[in-house]
Amino acid sequence: MRGAIIGFGKIAMGHLVGYSRVDALSIGAVVDVSAGRRQAAQDQFGLAAYADLAELLANERIDFIDVCTPPSTHAELSRQGLNAGMHVLCEKPVFLPEEDGYESQLRLIDASDRVFYPCHVYKFAPVLASVRELIADEAFGKVLSADFRTLRHGHAVGVPEWQPDWRRTPAISRGGILRDHGPHSIYIAMHLTGSTPLEVSCVLGRLRDEYQGTEDTALVRMRCTGGVEVTFTLSWAAGHRSTGYTVTGASGAVIVDGDKLVHASGGEVVHRTIESGFDDPSHQEWFGRMLLDFADMVDHPSRQVALAREALITSLVIDGAYRSAEYDGRWVDVSLPESFTAVA
């Protein structure tokens, strides 16, 4: 299948590496509002480049689009892609509330015969894939709780040709670190624990003066099905960069600190190192595995129901977390409404 990347910024570079490793998929063109980024696509990668999606569709035969633009554009570009009969991959946050909530987005996905694929790439980090296997083992026991941390010394910076600090602009980012890094913690929590969030409590803060438009720190708790409680901490105000995950079961525990994994079960403690590239913001080493999953989903489209549901619940949790923060951390219900039948 031949595709096009929409938004040729830094995250697109990671996607390109992934496409280079998947024989069934190729990128033939890009769309970007910046003339400088279009020129880079042509000069450095030999790709056709267009200023908007309509111009692309008028000149290229494309099977899928890969939306790598900032959050405020995700819904409209996904809508245009599905309406044009193309499969759509979309970076997080995949869903953002519109005037009717999520109704129109869900109806469109449900009515389309194309695959809509949320890019939940952290699920393909090698160390987290190993964590999932360990948790699934009977020796680990019932999952009881999880605690995650994502600490950064500032937000990721975009390309210099187009608003490199767009994550500080709410109209573009639609939030701060909770909207930016929160999705990874939420869908990974569901993926690893096998539970679904029911309620969320959140406290937000600004610990650095330069983040006046958006929050730079979030403390979140989720009560999930099966009695599982998940907590996660996000901050752009840390003095270092680190990523960690702890999952506790009735008979075991697993701790991840970057590429280091410690697993305890049955009285035995195992230390391992699994190179996963958490210090690479482009996550380029993970995208090949993710894109293989996308190609499989095109062949088995019924699989997209679970993934779309995961993406929707992720966004509902973030919406609920922002509401909770307005009331100093009050618990907020995030259960999937009955009207969302497209992903039920």
Side-chain angles (χ1 to χ4, degrees):
M1 291 188 294
R2 184 171 184 266
I5 292 179
I6 317 301
F8 200 60
K10 290 191 175 181
I11 195 65
M13 299 299 100
H15 285 232
L16 270 184
V17 172
Y19 285 112
S20 72
R21 299 174 180 176
V22 179
D23 292 339
L25 305 173
S26 66
I27 296 297
V30 304
V31 170
D32 201 287
V33 296
S34 164
R37 297 309 301 161
R38 296 196 297 272
Q39 195 65 49
Q42 294 169 337
D43 294 346
Q44 298 177 32
F45 301 96
L47 298 171
Y50 302 93
D52 58 46
L53 186 52
E55 185 182 6
L56 168 80
L57 296 178
N59 290 276
E60 302 282 344
R61 295 188 63 180
I62 296 294
D63 300 302
F64 67 90
I65 61 170
D66 187 345
V67 179
C68 296
T69 54
S72 61
T73 61
H74 287 181
E76 179 56 28
L77 289 168
S78 297
R79 183 178 295 113
Q80 291 180 40
L82 290 174
N83 282 336
M86 295 180 294
H87 303 295
V88 173
L89 299 94
C90 187
E91 265 294 331
K92 56 80 184 170
V94 175
F95 291 109
L96 287 167
E98 299 181 300
E99 289 186 3
D100 64 351
Y102 298 95
E103 295 281 0
S104 60
Q105 298 172 70
L106 294 168
R107 283 197 301 268
L108 177 63
I109 295 168
D110 192 46
S112 175
D113 63 354
R114 302 290 89 182
V115 165
F116 180 73
Y117 188 90
C119 294
H120 288 176
V121 71
Y122 269 58
K123 293 179 354 184
F124 300 91
V127 70
L128 294 184
S130 295
V131 169
R132 182 172 162 87
E133 292 177 2
L134 291 168
I135 292 172
D137 192 301
E138 289 185 3
F140 190 83
K142 179 184 181 297
V143 174
L144 303 176
S145 64
D147 181 67
F148 306 155
R149 75 168 191 281
T150 304
L151 304 181
R152 300 291 184 264
H153 188 57
H155 64 76
V157 178
V159 292
E161 296 93 335
W162 189 86
Q163 301 191 42
D165 294 326
W166 60 261
R167 285 175 173 83
R168 300 184 190 180
T169 306
I172 299 174
S173 64
R174 299 292 293 273
I177 193 168
L178 179 61
R179 189 73 74 181
D180 188 39
H181 283 282
H184 294 312
S185 292
I186 297 163
Y187 70 69
I188 279 294
M190 289 189 278
H191 183 64
L192 295 180
T193 69
S195 63
T196 301
L198 298 174
E199 294 179 291
V200 63
S201 170
C202 175
V203 177
L204 301 175
R206 296 186 181 93
L207 303 185
R208 286 191 177 176
D209 291 340
E210 65 262 38
Y211 301 120
Q212 290 305 306
T214 54
E215 80 281 351
D216 65 14
T217 301
L219 309 177
V220 182
R221 296 172 63 195
M222 298 189 300
R223 291 171 176 164
C224 306
T225 54
V228 177
E229 181 160 321
V230 176
T231 60
F232 59 90
T233 301
L234 312 170
S235 186
W236 283 331
H240 68 287
R241 179 186 178 96
S242 68
T243 307
Y245 300 86
T246 299
V247 182
T248 302
S251 306
V254 58
I255 300 171
V256 172
D257 185 3
D259 297 339
K260 298 177 181 179
L261 184 151
V262 180
H263 170 234
S265 179
E268 182 182 9
V269 179
V270 178
H271 295 257
R272 299 164 60 188
T273 297
I274 303 175
E275 295 296 332
S276 296
F278 275 105
D279 288 334
D280 176 9
S282 74
H283 308 309
Q284 62 181 16
E285 295 302 319
W286 307 348
F287 279 109
R289 289 180 288 274
M290 188 198 79
L291 293 170
L292 286 171
D293 188 64
F294 163 67
D296 179 78
M297 194 166 291
V298 170
D299 292 334
H300 304 90
S302 62
R303 288 187 53 225
Q304 76 173 322
V305 174
L307 187 55
R309 183 177 183 273
E310 179 181 275
L312 176 60
I313 292 173
T314 295
S315 289
L316 289 170
V317 170
I318 292 173
D319 296 344
Y322 276 120
R323 290 197 301 273
S324 172
E326 292 177 359
Y327 295 97
D328 303 318
R330 178 187 302 172
W331 284 101
V332 171
D333 176 31
V334 293
S335 299
L336 193 68
E338 293 182 3
S339 60
F340 295 140
T341 56
V343 291

